[in-house]
Amino acid sequence: MTDDVHPSPPAGRAASESGLIRWLLIGTALVFLTTFLFLPLAFVFVTGLKKGLAVYLAAIVEPDALAAIRLTLLTAAIAVPLNLVFGVTAAWAIAKFSFPGKSVLITLIDLPFAVSPVIAGLIYVLIFGLQGWFGAWLAEHDMKIIFAVPGIVLATVFVTFPFVARELIPLMQAQGTEQEEAATVLGARGWQTFWRITLPNVKWGLLYGVILCNARAMGEFGAVSVVSGHIRGMTNTLPLHVEILYNEYQFAAAFACASLLALLALVTLALKLGVEYRARGMRRPVQEAAIAASVGVK
Amino acid sequence: MRSIAAEAKDSPETLKDAPLTRPVRRLDEVKAAKQPVVRYAFDAESARVFSPRKTARRHRSVLPGFGLSLGFTIVYLSLIVLIPLSAVFIKTASLTWPAFLAIVTAPRVVASYRLTFGASFGAAAINTIFGLLVAWVLVRYRFPGRRLADALVDLPFALPTAVAGIALTGLFAANGWIGSLLDPLGIKVAFTPLGVLVALTFIGLPFVVRTVQPVLEQLPRELEEAAATLGASRWPIFRRVIFPVVLPALITGFALAFARAIGEYGSVIFIAGNMPMVSEITPLVIITKLEQYDYNGATAVAVVMLVVSFVLLLAINALQAWTRRRQGAQA
């Protein structure tokens, strides 16, 4: 337990803390992390399984729960690809070209992160709701966006908007344009350059963005809650279903469904670690090449 | 070389008198190390092309797809984000100024600001202190479970907020795992403003850790060793050497956690109890007004929150630029 610390502090005591202080700091940090992270996670699974596996499974295969799971998957299946395409396109324009107003554009892309999810829902109610801009027109043509699936998808697209773009822009900016330029000069067409050069270079960053985007798309609560209308079996996503069960004091069922979402979070964290690990392995040869190049130039 | 050969034939004296030592000044190695120019150019024309600032106008990229990708980006951004957001401001513009003020300064709304901003500030402050501690422990020490702890820090990003909300409520309720320990002490967390603080602390936890961690990792050990060799003891070293380097990242982390907390809804509403004037957060006020079909009221309060969010976003951008500059100066 004491084979920790950094190897042999050269300047003696003052370059590091004494053992007692070190363990005090570690202890405090671990108590804090356990209270706020580990216990809530454990609580979800323990409460979900408290009344036995049969109750747990019954809560998940119940028709309303299945409908909620289906809607959650559908929403993510629409929102994630949309924002993936947007993220790649935006990163291509921003990282590979120079144009005035670029930093403003980057700030605008970040905007949905700064906006409260409740407001994200509200804006679509203002536009498509019954009293909204297009409300009368939509009612005339018998179309529903608010309190229906399209509204849920729109709100989800809004809150997950920046994830992919935000991962890709700094990565592609750091990589520069030399490789693509070389490919173009050698006669590659635009799409060829993209598929063979750009995409392999950013694949881990891209995957990372998609994983985070998907987690948020499946777990979004505030924005979706405003536009969904909470119609059971119709416009309830899994997080909304959890809320309804909880408010009806069906705690075992609520936590059983919540444990599915917690599982999603754990899978997300595991995938994220995996991607970070692979990306680190990828980066090393590139860095070495860069160092070699700079030494050669000098 | 040829001109020198010609010169040797034409006027041997000039060549003979040529200075034997070349009038080249000593290389400025310090500057070269601080600002390495890795790319070099043979002439002034291409040097201008390589200079990072002026690239835009002088250098036309050979890469295709600029118009298409930028056009798509702007159209999609406008349709999904900009036009819908402008709806809030356009809707509010239909209100008269006194009517707007009456809505956003109603006692119940003001009480909700006090709770939202107060609890967000408190939670961000807690996260700043403990976030620095956690980042320090994760970067500097090796102990069993370190990797697990490091991975778990991101949990609030990945766990749906509704799940976090019901889990924290269960934990901190009077009969919960933690609540039952606090209850005999007379501390009630769930269904009080204290519960809001707990939920917002959970939500903001990763921000400070993840902004401070890379700065600590890059902090050169030599600085501390030098200070120690010069006779400084541990606490002054931390205060004078480490803390100033970490400070910009710490403030950025605080601002990010604060910004996230003021908009938070899902994790708070379960634990807050939602009593008007006491434990009702501003996003909930917006939802309540919407459910009563009071669209004017909801949008007016939303405008106040949006303006605060925008100001924070700009402040965070400036802070991050500052952090990068400080780190650049360090490296």
Side-chain angles (χ1 to χ4, degrees), chain A residues 221-297:
Chain A
F221 178 76
V224 170
S225 147
V226 175
V227 295
S228 113
H230 304 269
I231 308 164
R232 269 195 182 198
M234 298 278 289
T235 62
N236 252 353
T237 62
L238 200 48
L240 297 178
H241 187 64
V242 169
E243 184 203 12
I244 290 187
L245 291 175
Y246 185 86
N247 287 341
E248 287 174 349
Y249 301 104
Q250 302 187 37
F251 292 129
F255 278 99
C257 290
S259 74
L260 285 185
L261 290 166
L263 219 53
L264 167 78
L266 288 180
V267 170
T268 303
L269 288 185
L271 282 174
K272 196 169 152 293
L273 273 184
V275 167
E276 275 167 356
Y277 180 74
R278 293 298 296 266
R280 215 171 295 144
M282 279 267 295
R283 216 175 293 141
R284 205 162 294 130
V286 176
Q287 272 174 351
E288 276 164 13
I291 292 166
S294 65
V295 170
V297 166

Side-chain angles (χ1 to χ4, degrees), chain B residues 289-306:
Chain B
K289 284 183 186 294
L290 264 182
E291 280 170 356
Q292 296 161 349
Y293 300 102
D294 178 10
Y295 289 103
N296 286 335
T299 14
V301 178
V303 162
V304 174
M305 288 204 69
L306 271 182

Side-chain angles (χ1 to χ4, degrees), chain B residues 96-108:
Chain B
T96 62
W97 186 243
F100 175 78
L101 276 186
I103 293 170
V104 299
T105 57
R108 187 170 160 185

Side-chain angles (χ1 to χ4, degrees), chain B residues 215 218 240-249 251 319-331:
Chain B
V215 179
Q218 285 173 13
R240 299 258 184 87
V241 179
I242 300 171
F243 191 70
V245 179
V246 175
L247 188 64
I251 298 174
L319 277 170
Q320 277 171 338
W322 182 37
T323 315
R324 266 197 298 276
R325 268 205 307 281
R326 283 288 283 267
Q327 266 184 290
Q330 278 286 317

Side-chain angles (χ1 to χ4, degrees), chain A:
Chain A
M1 294 282 273
T2 41
D3 60 329
D4 40 78
V5 262
H6 20 80
S8 63
R13 229 163 33 81
S16 177
E17 294 77 39
S18 68
L20 180 68
I21 291 181
R22 190 180 319 133
W23 284 107
L24 215 62
L25 292 177
I26 293 176
T28 317
L30 286 185
V31 167
F32 179 73
L33 291 181
T34 308
T35 312
F36 279 97
L37 299 180
F38 183 71
L39 284 183
L41 195 60
F43 189 83
V44 171
F45 289 102
V46 171
T47 319
L49 290 166
K50 207 188 236 164
K51 291 197 175 157
L53 206 60
V55 178
Y56 180 85
L57 288 176
I60 290 171
V61 298
E62 192 241 348
D64 285 346
L66 284 181
I69 294 172
R70 258 199 303 277
L71 182 59
T72 300
L73 292 177
L74 173 75
T75 310
I78 300 174
V80 174
L82 273 179
N83 284 331
L84 171 66
V85 171
F86 164 74
V88 173
T89 333
W92 178 266
I94 288 171
K96 303 293 177 191
F97 302 93
S98 322
F99 53 90
K102 190 192 270 192
S103 58
V104 177
L105 186 60
I106 295 176
T107 309
L108 287 178
I109 289 175
D110 268 351
L111 213 52
F113 276 159
V115 173
S116 169
V118 169
I119 297 177
L122 168 75
I123 57 180
Y124 291 109
V125 173
L126 289 181
I127 294 179
F128 299 113
L130 211 51
Q131 301 180 9
W133 292 354
F134 301 115
W137 186 85
L138 285 171
E140 243 170 60
H141 293 76
D142 204 25
M143 281 194 283
K144 266 193 115 164
I145 289 183
I146 298 306
F147 305 143
V149 177
I152 295 175
V153 173
L154 268 177
T156 308
V157 170
F158 181 94
V159 291
T160 58
F161 184 84
F163 279 98
V164 179
R166 188 178 236 220
E167 280 309 317
L168 282 187
I169 290 170
L171 186 63
M172 280 167 71
Q173 275 180 330
Q175 284 175 349
T177 56
E178 284 100 342
Q179 292 191 14
E180 281 86 357
E181 279 165 5
T184 310
V185 170
L186 291 173
R189 271 170 286 119
W191 285 111
Q192 255 178 331
T193 311
F194 175 75
W195 287 112
R196 303 239 182 111
I197 309 287
T198 312
L199 210 57
N201 273 343
V202 299
K203 64 177 174 209
W204 296 118
L206 193 69
L207 198 58
Y208 194 91
V210 167
I211 291 167
L212 293 180
C213 184
N214 180 62
R216 183 73 194 266
M218 290 191 174
E220 179 51 32
F221 178 76
V224 170
S225 147
V226 175
V227 295
S228 113
H230 304 269
I231 308 164
R232 269 195 182 198
M234 298 278 289
T235 62
N236 252 353
T237 62
L238 200 48
L240 297 178
H241 187 64
V242 169
E243 184 203 12
I244 290 187
L245 291 175
Y246 185 86
N247 287 341
E248 287 174 349
Y249 301 104
Q250 302 187 37
F251 292 129
F255 278 99
C257 290
S259 74
L260 285 185
L261 290 166
L263 219 53
L264 167 78
L266 288 180
V267 170
T268 303
L269 288 185
L271 282 174
K272 196 169 152 293
L273 273 184
V275 167
E276 275 167 356
Y277 180 74
R278 293 298 296 266
R280 215 171 295 144
M282 279 267 295
R283 216 175 293 141
R284 205 162 294 130
V286 176
Q287 272 174 351
E288 276 164 13
I291 292 166
S294 65
V295 170
V297 166
K298 275 177 199 162

